[in-house]
Amino acid sequence: MPFIWLRQRLVRSQILAPTPAAAGGDATATESPAARWPAAAIKVPSLATATRDYARAIDADTFDRLGAAEHRRLSLAMGAEIWAWQRARRLTSQTPWRASPAREERCERISAMQQMMDDLATWEHALAALDAETARARIYDRPVPPDLEVPSAVMRLIEAKRAAALERAARRQTRTDGGGGGPTLVPDDAVHHPPPPRKPI
């Protein structure tokens, strides 16, 4: 896989403990209702339980009706990165990620971070899908969906991937153009002239 060294460095730098995530009145809200539901007042489930409950709600098509308080509970348990990844998977019609209750939670968080950093295509397709959804909302005068909060480590990988693709395209164009738009000119003095023929004796 490309950028393995960068992924490994970024994974080690991530905060693996749960962090308050965006959760509002719908499935894609980005404003935190912490003032109304302080984290201390919410019983935060384990990562395995939260991802299980989330997956069940998605499968039953009831997630959007759970309400802001339940979204807050699930997002707090998952943390901002996994919460955003779940949304990216939903935007690309993928099944939700579920943590294993048989494994240590810290190990599952590391595994999730590695998976989401390996699968850059999911993030790129999710961003494209969100752009299309935003365009439709503006055309039909509907509320515009909030941005997808792509983790900074993932965004750095996406940017590195795009930069590498542009560099490869530039090299291919250079070869197509013959190394710069035409044959290389050689000064006359550098041209090898064969010696004149010898006179007969």
Side-chain angles (χ1 to χ4, degrees), residues 15-176:
I15 299 173
L16 299 175
T19 56
D26 55 35
T28 57
T30 56
E31 258 188 315
S32 172
R36 285 180 292 166
W37 295 287
I42 299 175
K43 184 177 180 180
V44 178
S46 67
L47 179 63
T49 299
T51 54
R52 180 203 64 194
D53 292 350
Y54 174 85
R56 287 176 175 174
I58 293 295
D59 292 342
D61 198 23
T62 60
F63 180 73
D64 293 340
R65 300 195 297 271
L66 291 179
E70 181 64 7
H71 290 169
R72 173 73 171 166
R73 184 182 76 91
L74 296 177
S75 67
L76 282 172
M78 293 188 209
E81 292 85 2
I82 295 176
W83 184 251
W85 188 37
Q86 297 281 37
R87 186 183 174 204
R89 295 176 67 88
R90 189 182 183 193
L91 283 166
T92 52
S93 302
Q94 298 184 56
T95 57
W97 177 78
R98 293 180 63 160
S100 170
R103 294 186 64 195
E104 184 181 347
E105 184 165 309
R106 182 176 179 276
C107 294
E108 284 295 86
R109 290 187 180 279
I110 293 174
S111 176
M113 182 57 93
Q114 289 174 334
Q115 289 180 58
M116 70 175 74
M117 295 175 78
D118 284 341
D119 190 13
L120 299 183
T122 288
W123 295 100
E124 292 173 315
H125 293 159
L127 289 169
L130 188 58
D131 285 344
E133 187 177 323
T134 299
R136 287 193 298 270
R138 286 173 176 159
I139 290 172
Y140 296 106
D141 197 23
R142 296 198 300 260
V144 174
D147 293 336
L148 177 62
E149 300 295 330
V150 181
S152 59
V154 174
M155 186 54 69
R156 275 178 278 174
L157 286 174
I158 291 174
E159 290 170 352
K161 177 183 175 183
R162 290 173 178 173
L166 289 173
E167 184 179 348
R168 288 193 300 271
R171 287 200 300 267
R172 284 195 299 270
Q173 187 62 42
T174 299
R175 289 195 295 269
T176 301

